Amino acid sequence: MYFKNHHEVLNARECLQLYRQLVEFGMLENDPENENRILVFRTASEETPEEGFYSENIFDLADELAKNPESQRELWELLENMGYEPEFEEFFHTVS
């Protein structure tokens, strides 16, 4: 396990781990019909015609967050204000 400084940018794998932790601790909610989707609130935009909660693929959301350092900073600030410090698991890949 390791911790990240809130000024460090998360990669997609770390964003995925973060989303899974937030679901585990009740800060986000899984789609009851598919554990690889979470419910997120979206404001109205060109991609989202109506404001509301949408079921979205957790892998796509992790990739989206990894590409958006500003959103990461906002999320870190929120988590710090809540007193939550995420832990990340090491990932090793052995090639034989």
Side-chain angles (χ1 to χ4, degrees):
M1 292 287 211
Y2 65 95
F3 297 94
K4 295 272 293 213
N5 179 307
H6 70 275
H7 298 291
E8 295 177 80
V9 176
L10 301 175
N11 62 40
R13 182 184 48 80
E14 292 166 334
C15 290
L16 177 62
Q17 288 184 42
L18 177 58
Y19 279 135
R20 293 217 185 268
Q21 288 178 52
L22 296 177
V23 167
E24 182 180 323
F25 291 109
M27 296 176 192
L28 291 175
E29 191 173 328
N30 267 343
D31 181 330
E33 296 180 19
N34 185 334
E35 68 180 30
N36 286 324
R37 298 180 75 78
I38 56 176
L39 302 177
V40 295
F41 186 82
R42 297 281 188 185
T43 57
S45 69
E46 288 183 24
E47 297 91 27
T48 310
E50 293 184 31
E51 184 173 274
F53 284 93
Y54 290 84
S55 173
E56 297 198 18
N57 184 291
I58 195 169
F59 298 99
D60 293 340
L61 290 171
D63 189 52
E64 180 182 315
L65 182 59
K67 293 176 181 175
N68 191 332
E70 180 60 32
S71 291
Q72 288 187 32
R73 280 190 289 279
E74 292 172 6
L75 181 56
W76 276 114
E77 185 176 308
L78 175 67
L79 296 176
E80 283 181 340
N81 289 338
M82 296 173 72
Y84 183 77
E85 186 174 8
E87 296 179 355
F88 300 96
E89 291 185 29
E90 298 285 346
F91 179 77
F92 297 101
H93 182 73
T94 305
V95 179
S96 52

